[in-house]
Amino acid sequence: MQPTPTQGMSRRGDPTRAGYLLACGVIAGPLFVVTCIVAGATRADYDPLRHPVSSLALGDLGWIQVVNFIVTGALGLAFAFGLGPALRPLGGSPSGALLVGAWATGLLGAGIFVTDPVSGYPSGTPERLAHYGSTHAALHDGLSLIAFLALAVACFVFARRFVGWGKRAWAIYSALTGIAFVATFALSSLGFDQTEGLVGMAGLFQLAAITVGWCWLSLLALHLLQRDVRQHRAEAQGQ
């Protein structure tokens, strides 16, 4: 009996279905960060040192950032679905995958619900609104906060998991990422609340938090993807 094309791919050691989902996590981070940097550098009156990436969803070209949130959120959610099968052989609860899924869902929500102006962008708007201008803006902030908290907790959850798996370097990297992520996110939040001395750098702190977090997620996805491919190749050679 001849193998089907799918079986043939499996025997050559190609990635599993979970592997393709993990690849989504590799792509999502660089796509999100690069889009934010390019959009921020080319948008009139937008100061990447001062303004949040969510503000890029405002104005005539705001649809670009909306799409960025939604596409990378969908990729992140796919990655979360791939995490479960990838981590199952290593043991442990599915909390890490659930936290990554919460981060991705928050990004999707941030794209669907547009933020209010802050720190004077778009031009002519106040530095900080006394009240939310719309329910959409309130939902944006709420979902974004859940996303940031979920990713921060995920870093520490995986740090503990890596200790149990005997991967000390990954444990340290995950813990340091969590610390850096929380610190820069806190500084950015204070800046967007117009705390003196931090306002002019709030956007930079937020971009740093996002870059650090996405970099960790992308490298985690790549690490697990490589493991998936190696395992599949070993199984193929043993057939």
Side-chain angles (χ1 to χ4, degrees):
M1 179 178 178
Q2 294 296 321
T4 65
T6 301
Q7 291 171 331
M9 289 177 62
S10 176
R11 291 177 183 177
R12 288 195 299 271
D14 289 347
T16 62
R17 179 176 178 274
Y20 290 113
L21 294 175
L22 294 174
C24 292
V26 178
I27 297 168
L31 176 62
F32 185 87
V33 173
V34 169
T35 300
C36 288
I37 292 174
V38 172
T42 56
R43 191 74 60 84
D45 300 322
Y46 179 88
D47 183 355
L49 298 181
R50 180 183 181 90
H51 301 127
V53 296
S54 294
S55 292
L56 291 168
L58 302 172
D60 293 339
L61 296 176
W63 64 269
I64 297 175
Q65 183 65 356
V66 169
V67 171
N68 190 27
F69 274 125
I70 292 175
V71 170
T72 53
L75 289 170
L77 199 56
F79 170 44
F81 278 110
L83 266 177
L87 296 175
R88 196 172 296 124
L90 299 173
S93 72
S95 57
L98 292 174
L99 288 165
V100 173
W103 157 257
T105 302
L107 288 180
L108 284 169
I112 295 169
F113 304 108
V114 180
T115 188
D116 271 339
V118 67
S119 296
Y121 182 86
S123 180
T125 57
E127 293 295 306
R128 186 171 184 269
L129 296 178
H131 305 285
Y132 282 112
S134 65
T135 303
H136 269 227
L139 287 171
H140 175 94
D141 282 2
L143 291 168
S144 297
L145 179 60
I146 291 172
F148 275 95
L149 291 176
L151 184 54
V153 175
C155 290
F156 296 113
V157 166
F158 274 98
R160 184 177 178 182
R161 295 278 177 80
F162 279 120
V163 170
W165 297 332
K167 295 183 177 292
R168 185 181 177 190
W170 266 101
I172 294 172
Y173 174 46
S174 299
L176 291 177
T177 296
I179 293 170
F181 184 80
V182 170
T184 49
F185 173 67
L187 290 171
S188 69
S189 297
L190 290 171
F192 296 139
D193 280 339
Q194 308 305 304
T195 301
E196 188 176 353
L198 295 175
V199 180
M201 299 293 287
L204 179 62
F205 286 130
Q206 188 197 54
L207 186 59
I210 291 170
T211 302
V212 165
W214 266 127
C215 182
W216 175 76
L217 279 175
S218 293
L219 290 177
L220 175 64
L222 181 61
H223 173 71
L224 293 173
L225 177 60
Q226 290 173 336
R227 179 182 178 277
D228 178 84
V229 172
R230 287 195 300 268
Q231 181 178 352
H232 215 63
R233 284 176 179 169
E235 291 174 355
Q237 290 172 358
Q239 291 178 349

